[in-house]
Amino acid sequence: MSDPTNVLAPEHRRLRIGGTWRDAASGATFAVEDPATGRTVAEVADADVVDGLAALDAASRAMAGWAATPPRKRSELLTATYRALTARSEEVARLITLEMGKPLAEARAEVAYGAEFFRWFAEEAVRVEGRYRTAPAGGYRILTVPKPVGPCVFVTPWNFPLAMGARKIAPALAAGCTTITKPAAQTPLTMLLLARIMEEVGVPPGVVNVVTTRRSGPVVSALLADSRTRKLSFTGSTEVGRVLLRQAADNVLRTSMELGGNAALIVCADADLDVAIDGALVAKMRNIGESCIAANRIYVEEPVREEFTARFAERMGALSVGHGLDDGVDVGALIDEAAVTTIDELVADAVGRGARVLVGGGRPDGPGHFYPPTVLVDVPDDARMLQTEIFGPVAPIISFTSDDEVLAKANDTEHGLVGYVFTRDLQRALRFAEGLDTGMVGINRGLISDPSAPFGGVKQSGIGKEGSHEGILEYLDLTYAAIDLP
């Protein structure tokens, strides 16, 4: 197979700061590995605090000019980014697969999804509106004017290395903000390629900065402690989110957090089982299950439990496992050895508590970080996998007998990102949609992500929304002027 890293020249595997590509101040680098083989595919610059603050210097210098750039010009640059990503979809997708592990078909879908954020927010850039109205008591006018919040710091995860950055960078640029992105150490290459593409389409120097590092804590802490930073957006675990929120409090930063999930997928006895099985497979196995919105717990009403379980297990068992760049592969490698170990421990814990493995179970021999699609039944309520994100291709199936019972179980978690419901009864579907303590609900579908829809959770699954019109509001402050006019 050809080497996808060839699309990113060595000079573009460095830090992107203020319109230049530069080495880390220390000269240090770190390795990026192919999770399917363990082979080092590239060395990238390993930034420290000095580099992070240099990126903030660049973002601060560029802020006034970018905020003053006409919205139509900002829109055109975002549209150009969308078109460039679409035209270069194959090379971007191959790079995603190489550093993250997902099958190439899913990487292509991520490129399409990530590119769409640039198109959506290109359209939103020219629709930012204030208001002018008469005060209710008369005598003066009320004018409200939206303004960009200022330089933004983004901390993005490894599971969607293009899309998670795109859905932060696109609305920030549309609103007139400059950005510093710290991608995950496992998958920095895709974000560097995005920065290169945005440079090529003409985004001004200092507007999009990328700082790669394997020591995130000191770099991000220094950025949040600097008063020039005005916004933090983070996608990742709830545990890390809590730490970042505490740090952001010192400068009272605007924050957006898309944190962990523990999604319940509910299959009612009156569901169309063909639809439910297709939807459950997507909700569980999209991105190899390494997704915050993956179905973590599958609840099936007792009258259809046996049929659903047999058919779902058959579909899971038929999925092919291998290197994501190989033809016909459905399930690629997990991100690293720690991920495989964690999943293996969760399965062993469930089995030790009485669960039975119908399909898969147990890590395979050989190189790479692989785990087979796995289905478990008779999973007890105290199994660890029902209390935490599995983040992999493992599906526990639990039966239920009443709506009240399954709602109580579905909501018995600190998380509240998404839930899924399969039923042909409209009233029942709406009761579940209102009863689930989640920010999003999928009804008779296992794929809910859409740049035109507000993505985000409640409880300890996050703060704020990404996508839709609400997404650009996260990057705007509102100034109110009282104008004397008798």
Side-chain angles (χ1 to χ4, degrees), residues 421-439:
V421 180
F422 291 85
T423 175
R424 282 185 276 205
D425 184 327
L426 177 60
Q427 289 186 332
R428 195 177 192 187
L430 292 174
R431 283 195 295 269
F432 273 116
E434 293 184 4
L436 286 166
D437 294 336
T438 58

Side-chain angles (χ1 to χ4, degrees), residues 265-284:
L265 186 145
I266 299 167
V267 180
C268 300
D270 60 18
D272 181 326
L273 285 192
D274 291 335
V275 172
I277 291 165
D278 287 346
L281 200 68
V282 170
K284 176 68 262 184

